[in-house]
Amino acid sequence: MSTAPLRVRFAPSPTGYLHVGGARTALFNWLLARRTGGTFVLRIEDTDMERSSDAMVQGILDGMSWLGLTWDEGPQVGGPHAPYFQSQRLDRYRAVAAQLVASGHAYYDYRTAAPRTKTADGEETPDTFGTKSYEDTSLTLTADEVAAREAAGMPRAIRFRVPAEGRTVFPDAVHGEIGFDNAGLEDFVILRSDGYPTYHLSVVVDDMDMQITQVIRGDDHISNTPKQVLLYEALGVPVPGFAHVPLILGPDKKRLSKRHGATSVMEYSAQGIVPEAMVNFLALLGWSPGTDQELFSAAELVERFDLEGISGGNAVFNPEKLEWMNNQHIMLLPDDVLIAHARPWLVEAGLWRDAYDGEARPWLVRALTLLRPRAKRLGDIPEGLGPLVRPVTFDPAAVARHLTAEMAQHLETLAERLAVLPTFDAPSIEQVVRGTAEAGGVKAGAFMQAVRVSLVGRTVSPGLFETIELLGLDESLARIRAGARQAQPA
Ligand code: GLU
């Protein structure tokens, strides 16, 4: 077992956003680096120039930053690190490809006119797979013929020569030992005829140069791994450890896709999920702490995370569970953190007041104490706060049903009694409300609905007595009396 400090990486291709699966991979790498005091590298795999752009990269960086996944290294000196970009390392891949040709592990392939098929990696391969025919390659051409073709600038790919026999085996921290027969692996392209590396080459060169000790990535890369192991071996460098994490499925057990809802983590941000909940939720997609505990802060996850807890079975993305977890985190977050998360939502709803940064902060904190239990998403906070700070708009159906002439009388009585209450706190208010209902001979529940509709114009609100306490005496009296005036004559 190596005792070298752990070095891990997240290596997304820039697709314009950080999707749930990628975010989970990034998180697992980050958690392991943070737990072991290792190094977490971010590397943007942008060698597909047509698909890559700054905007594409920004989408990934936004997702990483929202989740708090900081990386430790980058090419530039000073300031916050930029990630590594493969597009800045093309010469290095070309040099390694040439080195592999020189060492006899790879060869020039001039068969550009041969019929081609696209593999899953987008790599073009002549339809010679299986025959292992080397016609028109540097394996069968003479040195002079090769030199002449090179001098003429004839297009050619560089292909790795997979041993015809034997097995390529690697241990996987999640799945145990995995092996592939070499006879089933084609001689794969490492450098395309346009001079660009394929994924297999660039990923291995980078993981080698960046001294990555542990590769944690999606299950979909298992079939790529033997080719990469062969490359490490050909280069004579240590093979990193591998941990392939299971796929994420939708609730219908099909691979998670747009059909199931948002797949970009920033869409969840836009839906009012707090990053603390997203991190917690993603961590449990395929990893288990080995106990029933479900709620974790990022710091607790860092303490607990290990590769042994990753399950080999596929993980199911349950949106209801995410919403539940979001509510739990909204309840647990420190006031200042919750306010920072809720602020843009309050601004958007026209409810943010500068005083919330000053003298009205304690009031906002008290209001949030009432609103947190009902907030499944951040948008529920302005939704609940609006009726407390804006003039009441009455829901006609709630008025018709609850603000009857009889109730109007009791509401007037309640206002009189509240006005003389020595201590204006929720328990005392509760006594007065219940006492008023009893004295008036109406059911407490029905009376409380009438009070609620007076206070907020509708039949839903946070805890009634706490709401009255929060609104304060004057505002509560004004609202209760206005409610009484709404009542229809008997
Ligand atoms: N760019 C690859 C991807 O996005 C990286 C795979 C790997 O981690 O090796 O899937």
Side-chain angles (χ1 to χ4, degrees):
M1 211 31 225
S2 159
T3 50
L6 178 103
R7 292 178 57 86
V8 290
R9 74 340 185 247
F10 174 50
S13 304
T15 48
Y17 60 92
L18 183 61
H19 60 80
V20 169
R24 195 253 328 239
T25 299
L27 176 63
F28 283 8
N29 278 284
W30 181 85
L31 286 171
L32 196 64
R34 294 292 170 266
R35 207 212 68 213
T36 60
T39 301
F40 176 55
V41 167
L42 174 63
R43 182 173 76 226
I44 307 290
E45 305 215 317
D46 60 344
T47 50
D48 184 347
M49 300 306 255
E50 274 164 37
R51 288 178 54 214
S52 304
S53 69
D54 290 351
M56 296 283 185
V57 173
Q58 196 55 46
I60 291 173
L61 300 187
D62 289 347
M64 296 287 286
S65 128
W66 181 61
L67 294 171
L69 304 182
T70 47
W71 58 98
D72 304 316
E73 264 180 19
Q76 106 232 2
V77 183
H81 300 295
Y84 291 106
F85 287 92
Q86 288 194 327
S87 56
Q88 294 170 1
R89 292 174 44 79
L90 296 171
D91 288 346
R92 174 71 182 139
Y93 310 130
R94 290 169 188 152
V96 174
Q99 180 193 327
L100 286 166
V101 174
S103 65
H105 291 100
Y107 57 90
Y108 294 137
D109 184 348
Y110 299 98
R111 295 170 295 188
T112 51
R116 274 153 198 271
T117 48
K118 273 217 166 190
T119 66
D121 309 328
E123 154 183 320
E124 295 207 327
T125 182
D127 290 334
T128 51
F129 171 53
T131 64
K132 298 247 163 136
S133 129
Y134 298 116
E135 198 187 320
D136 225 12
T137 72
S138 57
L139 292 180
T140 52
L141 296 167
T142 65
D144 285 350
E145 285 170 327
V146 170
R149 283 168 158 80
E150 288 298 299
M154 187 181 274
R156 45 84 173 151
I158 295 183
R159 209 172 266 284
F160 185 83
R161 187 177 190 181
V162 174
E165 288 171 1
R167 239 172 117 66
T168 299
V169 176
F170 57 93
D172 186 293
V174 177
H175 301 278
E177 190 172 275
I178 301 182
F180 289 82
D181 286 334
N182 293 338
L185 305 172
E186 78 269 24
D187 280 3
F188 53 97
V189 171
I190 56 176
L191 200 75
R192 296 192 175 92
S193 55
D194 61 5
Y196 279 86
T198 59
Y199 156 66
H200 295 302
L201 178 66
S202 52
V203 83
V204 168
V205 172
D206 283 350
D207 286 343
M208 167 176 81
D209 288 354
M210 295 169 195
Q211 299 181 326
I212 298 304
T213 59
Q214 179 69 53
V215 170
I216 306 171
R217 61 185 176 189
D219 251 358
D220 46 339
H221 288 291
I222 288 181
S223 61
N224 291 327
T225 309
K227 296 178 185 171
Q228 296 170 12
V229 169
L230 286 169
L231 277 169
Y232 286 108
E233 288 172 356
L235 291 164
V237 294
V239 182
F242 291 98
H244 287 99
V245 297
L247 282 181
I248 302 177
L249 307 180
D252 59 359
K253 308 276 157 50
K254 302 247 167 68
R255 190 178 179 153
L256 189 70
S257 75
K258 292 226 182 274
R259 278 181 304 116
H260 298 109
T263 51
S264 148
V265 291
M266 292 311 278
E267 275 179 67
Y268 287 96
S269 165
Q271 289 177 9
I273 300 295
V274 296
E276 291 81 358
M278 197 74 205
V279 163
N280 187 165
F281 180 76
L282 289 172
L284 296 184
L285 278 181
W287 174 79
S288 154
T291 65
D292 291 343
Q293 185 177 343
E294 290 198 291
L295 295 176
F296 292 90
S297 66
E300 286 173 304
L301 288 169
V302 165
E303 250 169 56
R304 301 281 289 277
F305 187 79
D306 56 11
L307 293 180
E308 291 71 49
I310 299 179
S311 113
N314 290 330
V316 176
F317 187 104
N318 178 347
E320 281 156 30
K321 177 135 188 206
L322 174 59
E323 193 163 71
W324 170 82
M325 220 171 240
N326 200 45
N327 170 250
Q328 298 293 311
H329 279 273
I330 287 175
M331 289 209 275
L332 291 168
L333 285 175
D335 293 327
D336 287 350
V337 176
L338 181 61
I339 291 172
H341 288 329
R343 186 177 183 138
W345 294 83
L346 293 169
V347 169
E348 173 75 24
L351 290 170
W352 180 262
R353 294 168 49 206
D354 288 342
Y356 290 152
D357 278 329
E359 76 277 8
R361 183 82 158 195
W363 185 88
L364 179 63
V365 167
R366 284 170 58 210
L368 286 175
T369 306
L370 292 192
L371 299 174
R372 284 177 196 248
R374 285 167 170 269
K376 289 186 178 154
R377 291 167 186 257
L378 287 170
D380 294 332
I381 291 176
E383 178 68 23
L385 190 70
L388 303 180
V389 297
R390 289 199 166 118
V392 179
T393 43
F394 287 99
D395 164 15
V399 169
R401 176 130 194 250
H402 298 286
L403 296 183
T404 59
E406 185 192 12
M407 287 299 179
Q409 273 183 13
H410 304 315
L411 287 170
E412 293 288 359
T413 312
L414 175 66
E416 282 163 29
R417 291 184 176 198
L418 286 174
V420 296
L421 199 61
T423 324
F424 195 73
D425 61 11
S428 321
I429 293 164
E430 175 166 7
Q431 275 191 358
V432 174
V433 172
R434 292 189 186 281
T436 306
E438 204 179 311
V442 285
K443 287 213 170 88
F447 183 52
M448 281 161 61
Q449 279 301 59
V451 178
R452 195 184 305 275
V453 174
S454 306
L455 291 174
V456 295
R458 56 191 192 181
T459 53
V460 279
S461 79
L464 186 64
F465 315 119
E466 290 79 5
T467 301
I468 295 175
E469 183 187 335
L470 179 74
L471 288 171
L473 178 63
D474 292 348
E475 183 66 22
S476 297
L477 293 187
R479 289 186 181 207
I480 290 167
R481 288 184 169 133
R485 286 195 300 276
Q486 289 288 314
Q488 309 301 312

